[in-house]
């Protein structure tokens, strides 16, 4: 394959990520409470169809469909024994969707609980689960690993370490911030500021500092966090905000910004200087398609100005 390494490619141009997976999987028929990650083995064609839509919309970078595919998460669905197979298959599906271009980031999400002493899960068990998942993602051929929707340094550190040990060529940490009610500021659920997050990720050897998801993290808020990351560390930055502010409907949190509304925030986000942009909750292939158009227009202008 002639494609340049991911870190080289993102220096050359802003890369486009993908959008939400969970909602697309539900739309494709996953019943609520079902194990979406098991579809990598049981219905690979459905996962592939969704990821193909993102590639057709213009994504350069796909996250493997493995957000909830560490053994601790899969055990809750009785799928723990298939952990390695699920992760390897997911990378292969994303690679098939991309063909011989683009980049697959093996996705490690939160293990979904609290570690001792705050919760009942031993850090050694979390460490083991992340190591197993990271190894399978690298074996599957991922171009890098993204540890995403993270709120606590302890967990983030274990997953970064696991990704590095597994030999991931690129390691990305991605933090979920919440807008604070009282102040015009953001922190993670565990109290981490963007500056602290950026410094932590740089100190722990991440190649890219990212943010995704969170509460009230829309395009405008993402632009502000990107700027704060860049002021705090020298790493390239990735941003995958949600499609607008959350709306509560029928006991469900929805993100309803249309593709045009979300894409209207892209120029300001790009002005803050991220090197990979995409979407989290509520974003769809249609959102990503408009992002692509804006990025391509910017690129044409940039080349013409040279
Ligand atoms: Zn999200």
């Amino acid at each position: 394959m002639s494609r340049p390494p991911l870190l080289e490619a993102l220096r050359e141009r802003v890369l486009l990520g993908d959008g939400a997976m969970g909602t697309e999987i539900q739309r494709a028929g996953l019943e609520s409470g079902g194990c979406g990650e098991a579809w990598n083995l049981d219905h690979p064609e459905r996962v592939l169809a969704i990821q193909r839509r993102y590639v057709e919309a213009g994504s350069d970078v796909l996250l493997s469909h493995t957000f909830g595919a560490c053994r601790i998460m899969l055990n809750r669905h009785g799928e723990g024994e298939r952990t390695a197979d699920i992760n390897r298959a997911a990378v292969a599906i994303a690679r098939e969707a991309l063909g011989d271009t683009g980049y697959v980031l093996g996705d490690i999400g939160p293990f979904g609980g609290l570690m001792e002493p705050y919760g009942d899960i031993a850090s050694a068990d979390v460490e083991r689960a992340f190591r197993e998942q990271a190894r399978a993602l690298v074996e599957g051929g991922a171009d890098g690993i993204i540890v995403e929707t993270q709120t606590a340094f302890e967990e983030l550190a274990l997953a970064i370490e696991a990704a590095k040990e597994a030999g991931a060529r690129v390691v990305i940490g991605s933090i979920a911030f919440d807008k604070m009610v009282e102040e015009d500021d953001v922190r993670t659920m565990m109290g981490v500021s963007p500056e602290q997050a950026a410094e932590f990720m740089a100190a722990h050897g991440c190649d890219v500092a990212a943010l995704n998801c969170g509460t009230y993290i829309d395009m405008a808020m993402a632009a502000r966090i990107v700027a704060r990351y860049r002021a705090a560390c020298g790493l390239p930055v990735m941003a995958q905000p949600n499609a607008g502010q959350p709306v509560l409907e029928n006991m469900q949190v929805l993100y309803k910004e249309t593709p045009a509304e979300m894409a209207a925030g892209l120029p300001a986000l790009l002005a803050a200087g991220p090197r990979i942009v995409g979407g989290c909750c509520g974003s769809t292939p249609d959102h990503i398609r408009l992002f692509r158009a804006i990025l391509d227009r910017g690129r044409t202008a940039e080349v013409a100005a040279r």
Side-chain angles (χ1 to χ4, degrees):
M1 267 183 273
S2 61
R3 65 206 161 87
L6 175 55
L7 292 177
E8 229 169 83
L10 63 79
R11 269 196 293 273
E12 169 63 20
R13 66 190 173 99
V14 176
L15 299 176
L16 181 56
D18 56 12
M21 192 63 180
T23 38
E24 297 300 304
I25 286 275
Q26 278 163 15
R27 203 170 299 162
L30 179 74
E31 69 246 42
S32 98
C35 181
E37 283 76 5
W39 276 22
N40 289 306
L41 294 176
D42 299 335
H43 301 291
E45 73 292 344
R46 296 185 197 169
V47 179
L48 178 63
I50 294 166
Q51 293 193 314
R52 279 213 166 115
R53 282 205 293 281
Y54 278 119
V55 173
E56 283 159 14
S59 294
D60 303 302
V61 176
L62 291 180
L63 270 58
S64 64
H65 175 41
T66 53
F67 179 83
C70 75
R71 186 178 286 257
I72 296 170
M73 289 289 269
L74 290 175
N75 271 342
R76 296 177 185 144
H77 298 279
E79 297 283 3
E81 288 311 305
R82 298 205 292 171
T83 299
D85 290 341
I86 284 172
N87 281 280
R88 280 192 292 258
V91 174
I93 294 165
R95 177 38 68 200
E96 187 178 346
L98 282 162
D100 56 12
T101 63
Y103 303 91
V104 179
L105 293 179
D107 186 4
I108 297 181
F111 73 87
L114 288 175
M115 274 189 278
E116 292 170 347
Y118 307 103
D120 55 358
I121 300 183
S123 68
D125 292 338
V126 176
E127 185 175 25
R128 197 174 310 118
F130 284 158
R131 278 182 175 165
E132 176 184 37
Q133 185 178 14
R135 255 197 317 270
L137 292 168
V138 170
E139 280 166 14
D143 297 289
I145 286 183
I146 182 167
V147 181
E148 60 138 319
T149 320
Q150 293 291 313
T151 58
F153 284 154
E154 296 76 12
E155 183 174 350
L156 176 64
L158 290 179
I160 291 170
E161 196 51 43
K164 290 185 142 323
E165 257 180 39
R169 277 168 286 177
V170 175
V171 178
I172 303 176
S174 190
I175 311 295
F177 294 100
D178 298 329
K179 186 174 182 305
M180 298 167 77
V181 184
E182 297 292 321
E183 303 160 56
D184 184 27
D185 196 7
V186 295
R187 296 264 165 171
T188 72
M189 196 170 65
M190 304 302 275
V192 175
S193 73
E195 286 76 16
Q196 290 169 329
E199 285 163 13
F200 184 91
M201 289 188 276
H204 284 74
C206 284
D207 300 292
V208 176
L211 64 108
N212 73 285
C213 209
T215 311
Y216 293 98
I217 307 302
D218 57 8
M219 296 291 269
M221 191 59 87
R224 291 166 62 185
I225 299 169
V226 166
R228 291 173 66 177
Y229 270 10
R230 294 188 66 216
C233 78
L235 298 178
V237 174
M238 172 175 180
Q240 298 200 290
N242 294 326
Q245 314 272 340
V247 183
L248 192 65
E249 267 183 24
N250 301 323
M251 302 301 286
Q252 260 194 313
V253 178
L254 301 175
Y255 296 84
K256 302 174 75 164
E257 220 169 50
T258 64
E261 286 164 352
M262 191 178 182
L266 185 57
L269 175 58
L270 291 172
R275 302 310 295 172
I276 308 176
V277 292
C280 200
C281 297
S283 59
T284 68
D286 288 337
H287 293 74
I288 294 301
R289 187 172 296 110
L290 282 193
F291 279 30
R292 177 84 269 162
I294 290 168
L295 283 173
D296 287 350
R297 238 179 283 148
R299 177 92 179 139
T300 310
E302 189 187 309
V303 170
R306 272 180 195 166

